[in-house]
Amino acid sequence: MEGKVYKGGEDYEQEFDPRDYLTTYYNFDSGPVAEKEIIKFSLQNLFQTFSAGGVRGNVLIDIGSGPTIYQLLSACEAFREIIVTDYTPQNLQELQKWLKKEPGAYDWSSIVQHVCELEGDRSRWQEKEAKLRRTVTRVLKCDVTKSPALGSAQVPLADCVLTFLAMECACLDVDTYRAALRRLADLLKPGGHLVTMVTLGFQSYMVGPKKFSGVCLEKETVEKAVQDAGCQVLKCNCAPLKYSQACCEGLCFIVARKGSGA
């Protein structure tokens, strides 16, 4: 339907096409310059956090993984176990395709090579892919608008919770976003890290011919929500990068630590 805007979990489950999303936003070789710059910004921040920044441990839980693995490429060197999660079955199926090296899985090799170049050896990209496949131990459904976010799944408290470009899509208003961040903090050990990136001033984005929306967040709103979830902001890196296929004002990357007494 022309002019239709999709939002919320049910719309995502029925209307979101992972392949349209991947070809629009993660075509590193021949996609739009704007999207490539955003991928590079994301990977650089993740590299600095997990490779150089010393955020490491046993368990990392990625909340709202979508159909993507790029956000885990540096983390897989710093954690023994990664649990990936998403709300929609089609995203989880797309992830499983890549994890199991099934025919038709999305080709992440160019982005993997870029991360390996950041880490000092572009030639080890196949080794990196194999390492990530070994490190991801579980693929689970999540719903950050409900408690607990992982439903009945039994998971250990995490050393790190990662959520990238997901919360602003899953939450329809600021109160829901704030409550969702508190649920993510509940998944963390005391002293564990929350690593997140959100789109600032987010209004909508295109996935193929379909328009999706979510909650419009400002930097101060994100920082306060993180703090109110019991986490201290250690790093906040914002950039006025904008997608070619989305209405937004920029990106905000945050590293925070949960209080040791929380």
Side-chain angles (χ1 to χ4, degrees), residues 128-146:
K128 164 78 79 177
E129 288 193 345
K131 176 76 176 284
L132 179 53
R133 288 185 171 106
R134 290 195 305 272
T135 307
V136 174
T137 57
R138 298 173 76 184
V139 179
L140 301 175
K141 180 179 174 68
C142 72
D143 184 349
V144 297
T145 67
K146 295 181 179 177

Side-chain angles (χ1 to χ4, degrees), residues 31 46 58 65-66 73 81 86 100 104 109 111 113 136 139 180 202 233 236 240 243:
L46 290 163
N58 289 320
S65 307
L73 291 167
E81 176 183 0
D86 200 72
K100 295 177 179 179
S109 58
I111 289 175
Q113 287 168 26
V136 174
V139 179
F202 173 62
V233 176
C236 180
Y243 292 95

Side-chain angles (χ1 to χ4, degrees), residues 14 37 41-42 45 69 79 108 119 133 135 143 151-152 159 190 225 232 239:
Q14 293 177 2
E37 288 306 307
F41 174 80
S42 305
N45 278 284
I69 55 93
F79 291 86
W108 289 97
E119 294 176 357
R133 288 185 171 106
T135 307
D143 184 349
S152 61
D159 300 282
Q232 177 190 3

Side-chain angles (χ1 to χ4, degrees), residues 63 144 149 161 163 167 179-188 194:
I63 297 290
V144 297
V161 168
T163 183
M167 301 296 281
L181 274 192
R182 291 194 294 271
R183 292 185 185 102
L184 299 199
D186 288 343
L187 298 171
L188 278 171
L194 173 67

Side-chain angles (χ1 to χ4, degrees), residues 148-219:
L150 298 179
S152 61
Q154 298 296 306
V155 297
L157 287 176
D159 300 282
C160 180
V161 168
L162 176 71
T163 183
F164 244 61
L165 304 173
M167 301 296 281
E168 63 271 43
C169 302
C171 303
L172 299 183
D173 55 58
V174 171
D175 286 345
T176 305
Y177 172 72
R178 290 164 57 84
L181 274 192
R182 291 194 294 271
R183 292 185 185 102
L184 299 199
D186 288 343
L187 298 171
L188 278 171
K189 291 178 181 176
H193 289 86
L194 173 67
V195 179
T196 183
M197 191 164 83
V198 297
T199 314
L200 297 177
F202 173 62
Q203 296 179 39
S204 64
Y205 70 114
M206 300 301 297
V207 180
K210 296 175 181 176
K211 181 184 285 189
F212 290 82
S213 73
V215 62
C216 180
L217 298 169
E218 304 302 326
K219 172 178 176 283

Side-chain angles (χ1 to χ4, degrees), residues 13 33 35 38 62 80 94 108 132 155 216 241 245 260:
E13 193 161 354
V33 172
E35 273 67 23
I38 288 170
D62 184 28
R80 294 181 182 177
E94 192 68 42
W108 289 97
L132 179 53
V155 297
C216 180
L241 296 169
Q245 295 294 309
S260 56

Side-chain angles (χ1 to χ4, degrees), residues 205-255:
Y205 70 114
M206 300 301 297
V207 180
K210 296 175 181 176
K211 181 184 285 189
F212 290 82
S213 73
V215 62
C216 180
L217 298 169
E218 304 302 326
K219 172 178 176 283
E220 293 75 18
T221 309
V222 176
E223 287 184 305
K224 187 168 191 317
V226 169
Q227 291 162 358
D228 289 348
C231 299
Q232 177 190 3
V233 176
L234 306 178
K235 173 182 178 178
C236 180
N237 185 11
C238 295
L241 296 169
K242 300 178 183 180
Y243 292 95
S244 67
Q245 295 294 309
C247 294
C248 65
E249 296 171 2
L251 297 170
C252 184
F253 177 87
I254 285 179
V255 180

